[in-house]
Amino acid sequence: MAVLLLAEIAGGALALDATAKAVTAAKSLGDVTVLVAGPAAAGEAASKIDGVAKVLVADDAAYANGLAEPVADLVVSLAGNYEHIVAPSTASAKNILPRVAALLDVMVLSDVTAIVDGSTFERPIYAGNAIQTVKSNDSKKVLTVRTTAFDAAGQGGSAAVEAIAAAGNAGLSAWVEDKVAASDRPELTSAKIVVSGGRGVGSEENFAIIEGLADKLGAAVGASRAAVDSGFAPNDWQVGQTGKVVAPELYIAVGISGAIQHLAGMKDSKVIVAINKDEEAQIFQVADYGLVADLLDAVPDMTKAL
Amino acid sequence: MKIIAPIKHLIDYNVKVRVKADGSGVGLANVKMSMNPFDEIAVEEAIRLKEAGKADELVVVSIGVKQAQETLRTALAMGADRAILVVAADDVHQDIEPLAVAKILKAVIDAEAPGLVIAGKQAIDNDMNATGQMLAALLGWGQATYASEVAIEGEHAVVTREVDGGLQTIKVKLPAIVTADLRLNEPRYASLPNIMKAKKKPLDEKTAADFGVDVTPRLTVVKTAEPAARSAGEMVGSVDELVSKLKEKGIV
Ligand SMILES: Cc1cc2nc3c(=O)[nH]c(=O)nc-3n(C[C@H](O)[C@H](O)[C@H](O)COP(=O)(O)OP(=O)(O)OC[C@H]3O[C@@H](n4cnc5c(N)ncnc54)[C@H](O)[C@@H]3O)c2cc1C
Ligand SMILES: Nc1ncnc2c1ncn2[C@@H]1O[C@H](COP(=O)(O)O)[C@@H](O)[C@H]1O
């Protein structure tokens, strides 16, 4: 059985971590062909992922910004040869794969966390309050996989790379601009340590103490929805049901109450630390280590003590 | 321009979800139901476009059980002009999959010919994040998902999207599908007079069969289980104690 895996492309390059995690999931379903809708260099990088049988590269201006319509048409043009179409659960793939599924007249399976067999999958529903096992009755299975649920496949592969033609562009949408903040910090979804701040941080200026602790630890910075809505932190830092899902070795939640929608994005972290001035805060119910303190004192103290 | 906003009637986001003991699903009998929070944002955006003179009519559509009309009334009270209820299930536990919802919506849209559809990014019950994209595919329209800003400029919508790296702005040809993200706006509350007025606004009732759409699920639920529980750990008394525990464990 054959699997077509849509590689994650970010900033014109292969997003290795997300793609390699999806490869691990895809390998259990069959021979993996990776589709790169992007530059040749990204195709080369994908060919080195362990377990990849083949790489198809469609390098065309139509795909430069990951617009859903042309990329979906490309995937659909290739779909005949594959039983499974897989991608990591990124904002980009979640934009594209449901479109692919509808064009193929099949359902999409979003955020798969476990593969039971070729047609049976587990996925969280209700903000992770329940785990559903579903069996697909469709001829093709189109799924996005949660990267926190699969280890990254290693390096050392040497798959053949084949350039393929683009599948046209109906021009339904056009790219205008990206606003991407450059950062030296590790990426939120693959970082070993994440320090997140919530509404309790109080202001955008105060968020500097969260960032200070993160930098001391070599960590990524996250935020609750309330912190993002209040303008303390950018949208791409949001962790939760409708933000990013993370599962680092260490997650430090600062000034976050622990609403279910936030927990949905971090409760699979290995060790959770919570700092909150309210000893009743829900976050303490999932924390391995809890500290009742004013974060304005505790966080700078912790940065110093490390 | 006419706008259509599909809205889902589902468990209120404040309700603690309980998995049924027999593993057949989540208990929804007698729990508080509301409009999907993302759909409130979508409805609000559509109303603002109307108020700004960019649109002249807002039609809200909900597919599911008969009780979804309560949610449609809420949207009418917020400012929608009329509502369409498509009854496709007689038990709240019977969720209609995004593909079937998209097919029904396509049929409604073929008849109504809106210039713009604003849906929510994600339904907070099934967490699918799929319907808008599927609908765009079926209609052959462009899509602008996860919107945090929408501007109508002539024949196009210019939409800023919340993506993994930050923000992306795209320009999509109308008619198009937009899906609303959290930062698009803050939805208004319906005032009491508007709630009263909404009772008189038109609410059309249809069935899935009227549109010839088969809503049989493509995904069979094998079981529904509680997630692995995480137990509370220990409270520490000071920053120093916290740091030494983390060092002992070798994680910092
Ligand atoms: C549709 C929908 C989707 C959502 N998606 C997400 C999501 O993806 N991610 C997410 O995070 N939320 C999400 N939410 C929001 C969620 O329900 C909560 O509102 C949010 O997580 C609360 O953020 P918070 O914990 O920072 O703020 P609050 O709940 O206000 O908590 C602030 C905490 O800071 C503490 N505090 C205050 N001052 C100090 C101090 N000086 N020192 C120490 N502690 C202090 C307080 O005790 C309190 O516990 C969503 C909600 C909805 C409806
Ligand atoms: N049964 C439904 N009735 C009306 N709109 C729906 C329904 N299901 C999904 N939608 C719309 O599609 C969006 C995304 O839902 P989903 O793809 O299920 O996560 C929702 O926010 C609604 O706007």
Side-chain angles (χ1 to χ4, degrees):
Chain A
M1 281 186 285
V3 185
L4 184 66
L5 189 157
L6 180 64
E8 175 73 8
I9 306 292
L14 182 75
L16 180 61
D17 186 70
T19 306
K21 284 170 174 166
V23 168
T24 299
K27 267 196 291 200
S28 66
L29 294 165
D31 285 341
V32 180
T33 297
V34 174
L35 170 63
V36 171
E44 285 304 321
S47 72
K48 299 196 171 65
I49 300 173
D50 204 23
V52 173
K54 190 175 176 185
V55 178
L56 303 176
V57 181
D59 185 3
D60 190 275
Y63 310 129
N65 303 103
L67 293 173
E69 304 87 356
V71 179
D73 286 347
L74 174 68
V75 175
V76 170
S77 74
L78 300 166
N81 300 326
Y82 304 93
E83 188 178 343
H84 293 89
I85 297 171
V86 179
S89 280
T90 58
S92 168
K94 286 173 158 181
N95 185 31
I96 297 165
L97 283 213
R99 188 171 178 107
V100 168
L103 291 172
L104 296 171
D105 192 28
V106 302
M107 255 300 283
V108 69
L109 293 129
S110 320
D111 276 320
V112 166
T113 49
I115 293 170
V116 179
D117 61 39
S119 54
T120 314
F121 307 90
E122 284 181 20
R123 57 180 302 271
I125 51 173
Y126 293 92
N129 272 307
I131 309 293
Q132 200 170 57
T133 305
V134 288
K135 187 173 184 338
S136 166
N137 306 311
D138 283 320
S139 55
K140 286 188 199 297
K141 284 83 182 165
V142 176
L143 51 143
T144 62
V145 296
R146 270 235 172 136
T147 52
T148 50
F150 300 93
D151 293 328
Q155 291 284 295
S158 56
V161 181
E162 185 189 321
I164 59 166
N169 186 0
L172 295 169
S173 62
W175 174 81
V176 178
E177 67 169 339
D178 283 338
K179 278 200 187 123
V180 177
S183 160
D184 294 335
R185 296 198 184 102
E187 205 217 326
L188 188 52
T189 52
S190 56
K192 291 214 153 45
I193 304 180
V194 173
V195 182
S196 285
R199 187 180 347 243
V201 176
S203 68
E204 191 181 356
E205 294 71 49
N206 286 353
F207 227 83
I209 64 172
I210 303 293
E211 299 184 50
L213 176 57
D215 290 340
K216 190 70 176 269
L217 289 164
V221 186
S224 70
R225 173 192 173 179
V228 176
D229 284 3
S230 309
F232 306 169
N235 66 281
D236 51 306
W237 290 5
Q238 182 179 310
V239 170
Q241 178 187 17
T242 57
K244 287 182 177 149
V245 178
V246 303
E249 302 284 314
L250 174 61
Y251 187 89
I252 306 181
V254 183
I256 292 177
S257 60
I260 183 69
Q261 292 87 0
H262 187 78
L263 302 186
M266 45 65 77
K267 71 178 155 72
D268 292 330
S269 304
K270 212 171 237 153
V271 173
I272 298 174
V273 168
I275 302 176
N276 196 302
K277 70 175 181 190
D278 173 11
E279 60 181 306
E280 303 284 315
Q282 278 227 45
I283 189 78
F284 289 127
Q285 290 171 23
V286 298
D288 298 280
Y289 301 106
L291 175 64
V292 177
D294 190 320
L295 66 92
L296 295 174
D297 303 323
V299 176
D301 286 352
M302 188 168 173
T303 308
K304 252 182 258 149
L306 282 162
Chain B
M1 179 175 76
K2 187 193 290 186
I3 301 180
I4 285 192
I7 60 179
K8 189 170 185 183
H9 177 73
L10 45 64
I11 189 168
D12 186 84
Y13 82 97
N14 274 313
V15 174
K16 172 94 182 81
V17 166
R18 304 222 177 271
V19 174
K20 288 200 266 183
D22 65 0
S24 65
V26 160
L28 295 174
N30 304 319
V31 305
K32 183 176 182 220
M33 306 290 272
S34 307
M35 193 187 313
N36 182 38
F38 287 99
D39 304 351
E40 284 182 32
I41 299 172
V43 168
E44 175 66 33
E45 193 65 15
I47 296 170
R48 289 187 191 187
L49 287 170
K50 249 186 76 180
E51 289 168 347
K54 300 282 187 185
D56 44 39
E57 191 185 19
L58 169 59
V59 182
V60 286
V61 185
S62 193
I63 297 151
V65 291
K66 186 135 187 158
Q67 292 83 334
Q69 60 176 273
E70 294 158 24
T71 284
L72 289 168
R73 289 282 172 211
T74 305
L76 292 170
M78 285 173 74
D81 299 293
R82 73 194 157 81
I84 301 172
L85 169 67
V86 183
V87 178
D90 44 33
D91 176 353
V92 278
H93 294 94
Q94 193 187 338
D95 193 36
I96 312 297
E97 287 175 345
L99 182 61
V101 170
K103 287 181 177 179
I104 293 170
L105 289 173
K106 178 183 184 298
V108 170
I109 287 162
D110 285 343
E112 295 277 346
L116 180 67
V117 174
I118 313 182
K121 148 177 163 173
Q122 175 172 338
I124 60 158
D125 53 353
N126 63 31
D127 282 334
M128 282 284 184
N129 186 341
T131 305
Q133 298 89 315
M134 292 188 130
L135 177 59
L138 298 179
L139 289 162
W141 291 4
Q143 67 189 54
T145 51
Y146 323 145
S148 63
E149 227 181 296
V150 175
I152 304 299
E153 293 178 5
E155 303 295 295
H156 293 90
V158 177
V159 179
T160 300
R161 311 177 51 234
E162 295 202 357
V163 295
D164 284 342
L167 297 169
Q168 178 184 62
T169 303
I170 64 170
K171 195 170 158 177
V172 55
K173 251 191 212 147
L174 296 176
I177 310 287
V178 168
T179 73
D181 213 323
L182 296 170
R183 256 69 63 179
L184 186 55
N185 59 52
E186 260 190 65
R188 70 194 64 191
Y189 291 102
S191 67
L192 198 56
N194 285 343
I195 293 173
M196 299 313 289
K197 265 193 256 164
K199 294 193 170 140
K200 298 203 189 72
K201 289 187 180 177
L203 192 156
D204 219 13
E205 197 177 312
K206 300 264 202 268
T207 66
D210 291 340
F211 299 104
V213 175
D214 178 4
V215 299
T216 310
R218 304 293 187 87
L219 307 177
T220 309
V221 178
V222 179
K223 68 167 191 233
T224 307
E226 296 263 7
R230 193 167 180 124
S231 47
E234 55 179 306
M235 299 304 287
V236 294
S238 69
V239 166
D240 288 339
E241 191 186 340
L242 174 60
V243 170
S244 59
K245 297 258 182 193
L246 293 176
K247 283 190 171 154
E248 255 168 56
K249 277 219 149 192
I251 36 183
V252 296

